[in-house]
Amino acid sequence: MTRDVRVAVFRPDDERMARAVELLDSLGASPIPDPMLAVEPTGAVPETGADSSDDPAVVVLTSKTGVELLAAADWTPGDAALACIGPRTADAARDAGWTVDVVPEEYTSAGLVAALDGDVDGESVEVARSDHGSDVLLDGLREAGADVHETVLYRLVRPEGAGQSTVMAAGGELDAVCFTSSLTVENFLAAAAERGVREEAISGLNRAVVGVIGAPTRETAEGYGIRVDVVPANATFEELATAVVEEAAPTYHE
């Protein structure tokens, strides 16, 4: 007999959730999809190509969602160097017909700063991302000497009705969870509070395997009293999910 490993996942209710469910299923787990994020586009785009004197030297994109919104708006990076936070964002940018110049070794805001440090001193850098981007990126680029401008492409909000998994956590019905951002942690706890099970849900998480996608998410979770068991070496959902299932049921994952 194999163990039924129930893993909650909080990705937006689009192809990302579909891929996450498919991956967890392929790993032998029972996915518990509970979208904690929804995308609300702002309609804003970075200004490039209109006035060469004001164009940024570097444009930084931090998500596949951002790339897709910009591509749908017929935006292009113009003559700016294009930096993407990781391979999925870079692949989406190439699919849009853009040349990607920088992908950091570490797929995080800190990794982007490290990859650009030394090349942006005195340069204008445009950062296009969600309204919940880490200050690590903006502060790090400014410390590297860049003149940084941020364009908020979309807002991340908690979908109405999200939170089925919080009740399951409170009742000890989850074996593991995969948090993919600090905001998913915060929205999970907000949904639990709305249901009157916040403390019980935290206790339930601390009896389960908690996986987070990177150090900032770990810091957020631990700040709320949630013990973190898994942080993958690379900040990808594939590595996170695989490591979480392995931790939750090491005799089950092959």
Side-chain angles (χ1 to χ4, degrees):
M1 292 289 291
T2 57
R3 180 181 169 193
D4 182 23
V5 183
R6 296 158 297 185
V7 183
V9 59
F10 310 116
R11 311 215 78 182
D13 190 16
D14 54 24
E15 75 279 357
R16 285 165 291 187
M17 181 63 86
R19 286 197 305 267
V21 167
E22 182 179 3
L23 174 63
L24 286 166
D25 188 60
S26 74
L27 293 170
S30 294
I32 307 296
D34 193 5
M36 288 289 169
L37 299 175
V39 173
E40 287 187 351
T42 65
V45 298
E47 293 187 11
T48 56
D51 184 345
S52 60
S53 64
D54 294 330
D55 277 0
V58 180
V59 174
V60 178
L61 302 178
T62 64
S63 70
K64 181 174 180 283
T65 297
V67 171
E68 291 170 345
L69 289 173
L70 290 173
D74 292 326
W75 176 91
T76 70
D79 293 329
L82 187 60
C84 294
I85 197 166
R88 296 196 75 87
T89 306
D91 287 346
R94 294 186 186 104
D95 288 344
W98 310 333
T99 298
V100 176
D101 301 284
V102 177
V103 180
E105 292 183 7
E106 178 185 321
Y107 310 147
T108 64
S109 292
L112 270 171
V113 171
L116 293 170
D117 191 18
D119 296 323
V120 295
D121 189 12
E123 300 286 0
S124 173
V125 177
E126 173 72 40
V127 176
R129 60 182 187 171
S130 80
D131 64 331
H132 279 83
S134 167
D135 289 338
V136 169
L137 179 55
L138 303 188
D139 292 345
L141 290 172
R142 289 184 178 120
E143 289 173 9
D147 176 17
V148 181
H149 180 266
E150 180 183 27
T151 297
V152 175
L153 302 175
Y154 57 98
R155 299 182 183 90
L156 291 169
V157 299
R158 178 162 55 97
E160 186 176 350
Q164 166 204 1
S165 62
T166 68
V167 177
M168 294 181 68
E173 298 173 22
L174 290 181
D175 298 296
V177 298
C178 293
F179 287 116
T180 50
S181 68
S182 291
L183 189 56
T184 57
V185 177
E186 293 164 355
N187 285 352
F188 176 92
L189 294 176
E194 285 183 355
R195 288 161 173 76
V197 296
R198 188 178 187 277
E199 296 308 315
E200 294 88 345
I202 291 174
S203 296
L205 291 181
N206 287 336
R207 293 190 298 271
V209 172
V210 174
V212 302
I213 204 151
T217 309
R218 177 177 199 156
E219 182 177 343
T220 299
E222 291 178 342
Y224 287 113
I226 300 169
R227 187 198 68 247
V228 173
D229 304 287
V230 173
V231 185
N234 292 308
T236 67
F237 183 79
E238 289 77 7
E239 287 200 22
L240 172 63
T242 301
V244 162
V245 173
E246 173 65 27
E247 181 72 16
T251 60
Y252 186 57
H253 173 61
E254 297 179 355

PDB file of all heavy atoms in Angstrom, residues 182-202:
ATOM      1  N   SER A 182       5.806  34.992   0.002  1.00  0.00           N
ATOM      2  CA  SER A 182       5.375  35.498   1.303  1.00  0.00           C
ATOM      3  C   SER A 182       3.882  35.799   1.308  1.00  0.00           C
ATOM      4  O   SER A 182       3.192  35.600   2.313  1.00  0.00           O
ATOM      5  CB  SER A 182       6.166  36.761   1.652  1.00  0.00           C
ATOM      6  OG  SER A 182       7.524  36.451   1.915  1.00  0.00           O
ATOM      7  N   LEU A 183       3.376  36.290   0.168  1.00  0.00           N
ATOM      8  CA  LEU A 183       1.970  36.652   0.100  1.00  0.00           C
ATOM      9  C   LEU A 183       1.065  35.432   0.245  1.00  0.00           C
ATOM     10  O   LEU A 183      -0.032  35.538   0.809  1.00  0.00           O
ATOM     11  CB  LEU A 183       1.680  37.396  -1.203  1.00  0.00           C
ATOM     12  CG  LEU A 183       0.299  38.041  -1.327  1.00  0.00           C
ATOM     13  CD1 LEU A 183       0.036  38.993  -0.162  1.00  0.00           C
ATOM     14  CD2 LEU A 183       0.168  38.768  -2.653  1.00  0.00           C
ATOM     15  N   THR A 184       1.476  34.277  -0.249  1.00  0.00           N
ATOM     16  CA  THR A 184       0.646  33.082  -0.061  1.00  0.00           C
ATOM     17  C   THR A 184       0.561  32.714   1.417  1.00  0.00           C
ATOM     18  O   THR A 184      -0.478  32.253   1.888  1.00  0.00           O
ATOM     19  CB  THR A 184       1.161  31.877  -0.875  1.00  0.00           C
ATOM     20  OG1 THR A 184       2.520  31.595  -0.531  1.00  0.00           O
ATOM     21  CG2 THR A 184       1.059  32.119  -2.367  1.00  0.00           C
ATOM     22  N   VAL A 185       1.650  32.923   2.150  1.00  0.00           N
ATOM     23  CA  VAL A 185       1.613  32.681   3.597  1.00  0.00           C
ATOM     24  C   VAL A 185       0.628  33.636   4.256  1.00  0.00           C
ATOM     25  O   VAL A 185      -0.235  33.232   5.050  1.00  0.00           O
ATOM     26  CB  VAL A 185       3.015  32.859   4.217  1.00  0.00           C
ATOM     27  CG1 VAL A 185       2.948  32.688   5.738  1.00  0.00           C
ATOM     28  CG2 VAL A 185       4.013  31.874   3.620  1.00  0.00           C
ATOM     29  N   GLU A 186       0.746  34.928   3.937  1.00  0.00           N
ATOM     30  CA  GLU A 186      -0.099  35.937   4.560  1.00  0.00           C
ATOM     31  C   GLU A 186      -1.570  35.732   4.204  1.00  0.00           C
ATOM     32  O   GLU A 186      -2.457  35.874   5.065  1.00  0.00           O
ATOM     33  CB  GLU A 186       0.380  37.325   4.139  1.00  0.00           C
ATOM     34  CG  GLU A 186       1.756  37.663   4.707  1.00  0.00           C
ATOM     35  CD  GLU A 186       2.417  38.835   4.009  1.00  0.00           C
ATOM     36  OE1 GLU A 186       1.859  39.340   3.013  1.00  0.00           O
ATOM     37  OE2 GLU A 186       3.506  39.243   4.464  1.00  0.00           O
ATOM     38  N   ASN A 187      -1.831  35.387   2.951  1.00  0.00           N
ATOM     39  CA  ASN A 187      -3.220  35.172   2.547  1.00  0.00           C
ATOM     40  C   ASN A 187      -3.804  33.906   3.161  1.00  0.00           C
ATOM     41  O   ASN A 187      -4.999  33.854   3.488  1.00  0.00           O
ATOM     42  CB  ASN A 187      -3.322  35.122   1.025  1.00  0.00           C
ATOM     43  CG  ASN A 187      -3.203  36.500   0.396  1.00  0.00           C
ATOM     44  OD1 ASN A 187      -3.187  37.516   1.087  1.00  0.00           O
ATOM     45  ND2 ASN A 187      -3.116  36.551  -0.922  1.00  0.00           N
ATOM     46  N   PHE A 188      -2.989  32.888   3.313  1.00  0.00           N
ATOM     47  CA  PHE A 188      -3.428  31.666   4.004  1.00  0.00           C
ATOM     48  C   PHE A 188      -3.860  32.005   5.424  1.00  0.00           C
ATOM     49  O   PHE A 188      -4.942  31.585   5.881  1.00  0.00           O
ATOM     50  CB  PHE A 188      -2.291  30.641   4.017  1.00  0.00           C
ATOM     51  CG  PHE A 188      -2.588  29.384   4.780  1.00  0.00           C
ATOM     52  CD1 PHE A 188      -3.125  28.276   4.142  1.00  0.00           C
ATOM     53  CD2 PHE A 188      -2.336  29.297   6.149  1.00  0.00           C
ATOM     54  CE1 PHE A 188      -3.405  27.108   4.851  1.00  0.00           C
ATOM     55  CE2 PHE A 188      -2.622  28.138   6.864  1.00  0.00           C
ATOM     56  CZ  PHE A 188      -3.160  27.045   6.208  1.00  0.00           C
ATOM     57  N   LEU A 189      -3.048  32.778   6.120  1.00  0.00           N
ATOM     58  CA  LEU A 189      -3.366  33.116   7.506  1.00  0.00           C
ATOM     59  C   LEU A 189      -4.573  34.035   7.595  1.00  0.00           C
ATOM     60  O   LEU A 189      -5.386  33.928   8.525  1.00  0.00           O
ATOM     61  CB  LEU A 189      -2.150  33.750   8.181  1.00  0.00           C
ATOM     62  CG  LEU A 189      -0.944  32.815   8.353  1.00  0.00           C
ATOM     63  CD1 LEU A 189       0.238  33.570   8.936  1.00  0.00           C
ATOM     64  CD2 LEU A 189      -1.302  31.619   9.223  1.00  0.00           C
ATOM     65  N   ALA A 190      -4.726  34.943   6.621  1.00  0.00           N
ATOM     66  CA  ALA A 190      -5.898  35.812   6.603  1.00  0.00           C
ATOM     67  C   ALA A 190      -7.169  34.998   6.371  1.00  0.00           C
ATOM     68  O   ALA A 190      -8.211  35.244   7.010  1.00  0.00           O
ATOM     69  CB  ALA A 190      -5.743  36.880   5.526  1.00  0.00           C
ATOM     70  N   ALA A 191      -7.080  34.025   5.460  1.00  0.00           N
ATOM     71  CA  ALA A 191      -8.236  33.159   5.201  1.00  0.00           C
ATOM     72  C   ALA A 191      -8.569  32.318   6.433  1.00  0.00           C
ATOM     73  O   ALA A 191      -9.739  32.099   6.756  1.00  0.00           O
ATOM     74  CB  ALA A 191      -7.952  32.256   4.000  1.00  0.00           C
ATOM     75  N   ALA A 192      -7.542  31.864   7.143  1.00  0.00           N
ATOM     76  CA  ALA A 192      -7.764  31.088   8.371  1.00  0.00           C
ATOM     77  C   ALA A 192      -8.421  31.951   9.442  1.00  0.00           C
ATOM     78  O   ALA A 192      -9.329  31.503  10.151  1.00  0.00           O
ATOM     79  CB  ALA A 192      -6.438  30.527   8.877  1.00  0.00           C
ATOM     80  N   ALA A 193      -7.970  33.203   9.543  1.00  0.00           N
ATOM     81  CA  ALA A 193      -8.553  34.113  10.536  1.00  0.00           C
ATOM     82  C   ALA A 193     -10.025  34.367  10.245  1.00  0.00           C
ATOM     83  O   ALA A 193     -10.852  34.425  11.164  1.00  0.00           O
ATOM     84  CB  ALA A 193      -7.769  35.422  10.561  1.00  0.00           C
ATOM     85  N   GLU A 194     -10.365  34.527   8.972  1.00  0.00           N
ATOM     86  CA  GLU A 194     -11.770  34.737   8.603  1.00  0.00           C
ATOM     87  C   GLU A 194     -12.642  33.563   9.030  1.00  0.00           C
ATOM     88  O   GLU A 194     -13.833  33.733   9.329  1.00  0.00           O
ATOM     89  CB  GLU A 194     -11.891  34.926   7.094  1.00  0.00           C
ATOM     90  CG  GLU A 194     -11.435  36.285   6.600  1.00  0.00           C
ATOM     91  CD  GLU A 194     -11.643  36.452   5.107  1.00  0.00           C
ATOM     92  OE1 GLU A 194     -12.055  35.470   4.444  1.00  0.00           O
ATOM     93  OE2 GLU A 194     -11.394  37.555   4.602  1.00  0.00           O
ATOM     94  N   ARG A 195     -12.063  32.382   9.068  1.00  0.00           N
ATOM     95  CA  ARG A 195     -12.806  31.181   9.446  1.00  0.00           C
ATOM     96  C   ARG A 195     -12.678  30.871  10.932  1.00  0.00           C
ATOM     97  O   ARG A 195     -13.197  29.856  11.398  1.00  0.00           O
ATOM     98  CB  ARG A 195     -12.310  29.991   8.610  1.00  0.00           C
ATOM     99  CG  ARG A 195     -12.758  30.085   7.156  1.00  0.00           C
ATOM    100  CD  ARG A 195     -11.912  29.209   6.248  1.00  0.00           C
ATOM    101  NE  ARG A 195     -12.459  29.187   4.899  1.00  0.00           N
ATOM    102  CZ  ARG A 195     -12.341  30.194   4.015  1.00  0.00           C
ATOM    103  NH1 ARG A 195     -11.678  31.286   4.361  1.00  0.00           N
ATOM    104  NH2 ARG A 195     -12.866  30.104   2.812  1.00  0.00           N
ATOM    105  N   GLY A 196     -11.952  31.724  11.652  1.00  0.00           N
ATOM    106  CA  GLY A 196     -11.807  31.532  13.089  1.00  0.00           C
ATOM    107  C   GLY A 196     -10.909  30.381  13.478  1.00  0.00           C
ATOM    108  O   GLY A 196     -11.016  29.837  14.591  1.00  0.00           O
ATOM    109  N   VAL A 197      -9.960  29.999  12.576  1.00  0.00           N
ATOM    110  CA  VAL A 197      -9.103  28.838  12.859  1.00  0.00           C
ATOM    111  C   VAL A 197      -7.620  29.179  12.701  1.00  0.00           C
ATOM    112  O   VAL A 197      -6.799  28.292  12.459  1.00  0.00           O
ATOM    113  CB  VAL A 197      -9.470  27.636  11.956  1.00  0.00           C
ATOM    114  CG1 VAL A 197     -10.876  27.152  12.246  1.00  0.00           C
ATOM    115  CG2 VAL A 197      -9.310  27.991  10.474  1.00  0.00           C
ATOM    116  N   ARG A 198      -7.269  30.453  12.855  1.00  0.00           N
ATOM    117  CA  ARG A 198      -5.885  30.858  12.571  1.00  0.00           C
ATOM    118  C   ARG A 198      -4.872  30.096  13.426  1.00  0.00           C
ATOM    119  O   ARG A 198      -3.918  29.517  12.894  1.00  0.00           O
ATOM    120  CB  ARG A 198      -5.730  32.363  12.793  1.00  0.00           C
ATOM    121  CG  ARG A 198      -4.377  32.916  12.336  1.00  0.00           C
ATOM    122  CD  ARG A 198      -4.333  34.421  12.555  1.00  0.00           C
ATOM    123  NE  ARG A 198      -3.141  35.029  12.000  1.00  0.00           N
ATOM    124  CZ  ARG A 198      -1.958  35.079  12.606  1.00  0.00           C
ATOM    125  NH1 ARG A 198      -1.822  34.524  13.805  1.00  0.00           N
ATOM    126  NH2 ARG A 198      -0.923  35.653  12.023  1.00  0.00           N
ATOM    127  N   GLU A 199      -5.048  30.101  14.730  1.00  0.00           N
ATOM    128  CA  GLU A 199      -4.080  29.423  15.599  1.00  0.00           C
ATOM    129  C   GLU A 199      -4.095  27.921  15.378  1.00  0.00           C
ATOM    130  O   GLU A 199      -3.042  27.271  15.382  1.00  0.00           O
ATOM    131  CB  GLU A 199      -4.361  29.762  17.072  1.00  0.00           C
ATOM    132  CG  GLU A 199      -4.174  31.228  17.408  1.00  0.00           C
ATOM    133  CD  GLU A 199      -2.816  31.757  16.969  1.00  0.00           C
ATOM    134  OE1 GLU A 199      -1.807  31.069  17.214  1.00  0.00           O
ATOM    135  OE2 GLU A 199      -2.763  32.843  16.355  1.00  0.00           O
ATOM    136  N   GLU A 200      -5.281  27.379  15.176  1.00  0.00           N
ATOM    137  CA  GLU A 200      -5.380  25.935  14.922  1.00  0.00           C
ATOM    138  C   GLU A 200      -4.706  25.562  13.596  1.00  0.00           C
ATOM    139  O   GLU A 200      -4.072  24.504  13.483  1.00  0.00           O
ATOM    140  CB  GLU A 200      -6.849  25.507  14.896  1.00  0.00           C
ATOM    141  CG  GLU A 200      -7.558  25.636  16.235  1.00  0.00           C
ATOM    142  CD  GLU A 200      -8.160  27.014  16.442  1.00  0.00           C
ATOM    143  OE1 GLU A 200      -7.801  27.961  15.695  1.00  0.00           O
ATOM    144  OE2 GLU A 200      -9.000  27.154  17.362  1.00  0.00           O
ATOM    145  N   ALA A 201      -4.841  26.449  12.596  1.00  0.00           N
ATOM    146  CA  ALA A 201      -4.206  26.179  11.299  1.00  0.00           C
ATOM    147  C   ALA A 201      -2.683  26.222  11.424  1.00  0.00           C
ATOM    148  O   ALA A 201      -1.982  25.392  10.819  1.00  0.00           O
ATOM    149  CB  ALA A 201      -4.684  27.187  10.263  1.00  0.00           C
ATOM    150  N   ILE A 202      -2.163  27.175  12.176  1.00  0.00           N
ATOM    151  CA  ILE A 202      -0.709  27.233  12.388  1.00  0.00           C
ATOM    152  C   ILE A 202      -0.233  25.967  13.094  1.00  0.00           C
ATOM    153  O   ILE A 202       0.786  25.372  12.714  1.00  0.00           O
ATOM    154  CB  ILE A 202      -0.328  28.496  13.189  1.00  0.00           C
ATOM    155  CG1 ILE A 202      -0.555  29.747  12.334  1.00  0.00           C
ATOM    156  CG2 ILE A 202       1.126  28.421  13.657  1.00  0.00           C
ATOM    157  CD1 ILE A 202      -0.344  31.049  13.081  1.00  0.00           C
TER     158      ILE A 202
END
